[in-house]
Amino acid sequence: MSQAAMVDDLMSPEAIRDPYGYFGRLRLDDPVHWNERHRSWLVTRYADVDACFRDPRLSSDRVVPHYAGQGTGTAAAGEPGDEERGWLQPIRTVLADWMVFQDPPEHTRLRRSVSHAFTPHTVARMEPRIREIVDELLDQVSGREEIDFVRELAFPLPAIVIAELLGVPASDRELFKELSDELSPLVFGELSEPDRHERAGRALLGLADYFRDLMRHYRAQPADNLVSTLVEHYEADGLSEDEVAANCVLLLFAGHETTTNLLACGLLALLEHPHQRGLLQRDPDLAAGAVEEFLRYDGPTKLSVRWVAVDLELAGRTIRTGQRVMLLQATANRDPDVFDRPDELLIDRASNPHLAFGLKTHYCLGAPLARLEARLAVPRALARFPELRPAAAQLQWHPTIMIRGPRALPVHLGPDVRATRVEGAPR
Ligand code: HEM
């Protein structure tokens, strides 16, 4: 098979199962490659991905071109037709307010306001609570022989954390979770039944309405949470109510599935590398470095999308205004020009400048939160269930262009160390 045919379909089973082998070949043979099927440039080398993240000629405003029928920066399902464009219009309005789809100066205004409320200090204060939630989730599975780690821990933990951070009452949690799950195909380009895009759109509008109501609630009764802080400051920061509500949906969404996948892929990587797992179990101080390595080795974001605003040259190729560019963090993070032994998991790497959270203007606002959740959850699960091991020979991966993660991660738990202790075996 020719190289061009091999890299033609980003959704092929091979590309979904092993994006590293699949796109890694491209990094060697054709590092800035035009993919006709997806009508996109694929940029695969670290130096080029890094340069593109920093280049203002590459725009993040991919919502407007998508709905104008020029391409799709979010979904993989092709361009919308006229009828679809009609019902998509209100959805466009919400997505267009997301900071991640804006360029400066609009982006700067939105990000500044949200980052006032969502500071590293706010996140650090969550540590005892996150520890508690992890322990409660582990308590719930104690005594069971086999569990799906995604369902029991990797999925609920970030959902509960982001809901509490935003100020979503526990009684609304189920509705909130349902709506956020429905949204995924629209944003990450998932292969799914056609009506899921329409459902995802309705979920997006439902969530924006939900946050407008929550803003009203906290305006009347201020509390110690992110929505309440935003309500206090947004007018002075020059934001509208719709913009705040839209960016709350973004926080909810961006903070959820990505973190679920970090927890699942992180645990999986350790299960597949017993020596590295042993290092972490013997020395918990390696946890922060281990999380960086999970992000590099098999991180949740395979790629980020940009739209060319001004012609540019890259690796001898001319990239034209109006074309779409996919920045492949997955291959950049395994580039041998930057990382020693790039295809190996080494949790004590001396240097790890991975691009899993992007760079510069749109650098992930939730990076400290995602890091904290992973640093607490994965080592705690292994410390409590030291004999935890995989229970499935083969995994099913989410069939999306942008996101990497298993649909389920079945594991045998083995004995719960804490339960043994409680039963009267002091250690
Ligand atoms: C492991 C988990 C996560 C990964 C891998 C991740 C990855 C990313 C990446 C690659 C971007 C940049 C996108 C671009 O340049 O187009 C981004 C942006 C963003 N992320 Fe995350 N993210 C994670 C967790 C979170 C969490 C927990 C939150 C919030 C609760 C969050 C909120 C955001 C926001 C608001 C942006 C937009 C920033 C901007 O446009 O200025 N993310 N994330």
Side-chain angles (χ1 to χ4, degrees):
M1 199 177 3
S2 76
Q3 181 66 48
M6 259 164 49
V7 294
D8 187 41
D9 186 2
L10 305 184
M11 303 288 266
S12 72
E14 187 196 352
I16 296 293
R17 189 178 38 79
D18 177 19
Y20 305 102
Y22 194 75
F23 297 119
R25 291 192 286 273
L26 203 54
R27 191 185 53 226
L28 286 174
D29 298 344
D30 189 15
V32 176
H33 171 83
W34 174 252
N35 180 299
E36 185 57 35
R37 185 184 187 115
H38 297 274
R39 304 203 55 75
S40 301
W41 289 99
L42 305 186
V43 179
T44 46
R45 283 195 305 220
Y46 186 100
D48 295 329
V49 173
D50 178 288
C52 287
F53 271 126
R54 298 168 191 276
D55 194 329
R57 291 172 296 180
L58 290 171
S59 166
S60 283
D61 178 3
R62 47 205 187 271
V63 175
V64 172
H66 174 60
Y67 291 100
Q70 293 167 19
T72 166
T74 52
E79 319 301 325
D82 284 347
E83 191 191 333
E84 209 184 332
R85 233 173 261 144
W87 65 258
L88 283 175
Q89 188 53 36
I91 296 164
R92 189 216 118 153
T93 316
V94 178
L95 290 181
D97 279 340
W98 282 16
M99 71 179 90
V100 72
F101 296 143
Q102 294 269 1
D103 295 325
E106 282 301 287
H107 168 267
T108 318
R109 186 175 60 85
L110 295 169
R111 178 155 174 140
R112 193 189 303 124
S113 180
V114 177
S115 43
H116 281 162
F118 192 54
T119 61
H121 176 68
T122 319
V123 171
R125 272 194 342 190
M126 291 286 291
E127 178 159 348
R129 178 61 187 138
I130 296 176
R131 217 182 276 273
E132 202 173 86
I133 302 168
V134 171
D135 289 344
E136 281 166 17
L137 292 170
L138 293 174
D139 286 345
Q140 283 170 22
V141 295
S142 182
R144 284 172 56 189
E145 199 166 305
E146 186 182 317
I147 62 158
D148 171 8
F149 181 78
V150 171
R151 188 191 165 96
E152 305 294 351
L153 195 108
F155 183 85
L157 174 67
I160 298 171
V161 169
I162 193 68
E164 290 194 0
L165 198 75
L166 285 162
V168 173
S171 52
D172 289 347
R173 204 77 55 72
E174 273 309 306
L175 165 78
F176 191 69
K177 216 169 73 181
E178 261 170 47
L179 289 173
S180 86
D181 291 347
E182 295 260 306
L183 193 49
S184 180
L186 189 74
V187 183
F188 291 140
E190 182 160 351
L191 265 190
S192 54
E193 323 87 78
D195 82 311
R196 279 209 66 186
H197 279 86
E198 200 168 336
R199 284 188 354 230
R202 280 200 298 271
L204 177 70
L205 299 179
L207 281 166
D209 281 345
Y210 178 86
F211 279 111
R212 272 188 288 269
D213 286 346
L214 206 61
M215 288 171 71
R216 268 167 230 136
H217 172 79
Y218 287 123
R219 186 172 294 122
Q221 295 171 47
D224 182 14
N225 60 52
L226 216 131
V227 170
S228 207
T229 313
L230 284 168
V231 163
E232 212 181 307
H233 297 290
Y234 78 92
E235 280 165 343
D237 288 342
L239 262 62
S240 69
E241 188 181 89
D242 286 350
E243 284 173 329
V244 178
N247 282 284
C248 286
V249 181
L250 169 63
L251 281 178
L252 155 77
F253 187 71
H256 189 184
E257 189 161 343
T258 45
T259 312
T260 296
N261 292 331
L262 173 61
L263 301 178
C265 289
L267 180 74
L268 178 65
L270 289 177
L271 298 183
E272 288 175 342
H273 297 82
H275 176 66
Q276 299 295 312
R277 170 186 181 165
L279 287 180
L280 180 62
Q281 283 180 294
R282 281 191 298 278
D283 181 1
D285 287 348
L286 290 175
V291 171
E292 297 313 303
E293 184 65 346
F294 302 156
L295 286 157
R296 183 200 70 83
Y297 176 77
D298 198 9
T301 316
K302 284 187 275 192
L303 61 88
S304 297
V305 176
R306 294 292 186 268
W307 197 257
V308 183
V310 179
D311 287 4
L312 63 125
E313 295 283 322
L314 195 62
R317 301 298 192 110
T318 303
I319 317 258
R320 299 270 176 221
T321 304
Q323 289 183 323
R324 182 174 37 214
V325 181
M326 294 184 175
L327 310 179
L328 276 127
Q329 288 138 287
T331 49
N333 285 340
R334 295 213 186 181
D335 189 332
D337 285 347
V338 178
F339 300 99
D340 286 340
R341 298 155 68 191
D343 294 321
E344 292 177 43
L345 180 87
L346 300 171
I347 64 168
D348 55 355
R349 273 180 192 279
S351 157
N352 194 347
H354 64 74
L355 300 175
F357 288 124
L359 263 186
K360 296 296 280 184
T361 311
H362 293 279
Y363 182 80
C364 177
L365 199 58
L369 180 60
R371 286 179 161 129
L372 178 61
E373 289 182 49
R375 180 165 64 70
L376 294 176
V378 176
R380 262 179 127 66
L382 288 173
R384 190 138 163 203
F385 299 97
E387 291 174 30
L388 191 149
R389 64 183 202 282
Q394 209 162 20
L395 295 175
Q396 299 274 322
W397 296 89
H398 286 297
T400 83
I401 284 193
M402 295 176 75
I403 285 293
R404 165 86 170 159
R407 286 180 187 275
L409 179 56
V411 291
H412 291 294
L413 278 183
D416 176 351
V417 167
R418 187 188 268 192
T420 319
R421 242 181 292 155
V422 170
E423 278 159 22
R427 292 149 52 96

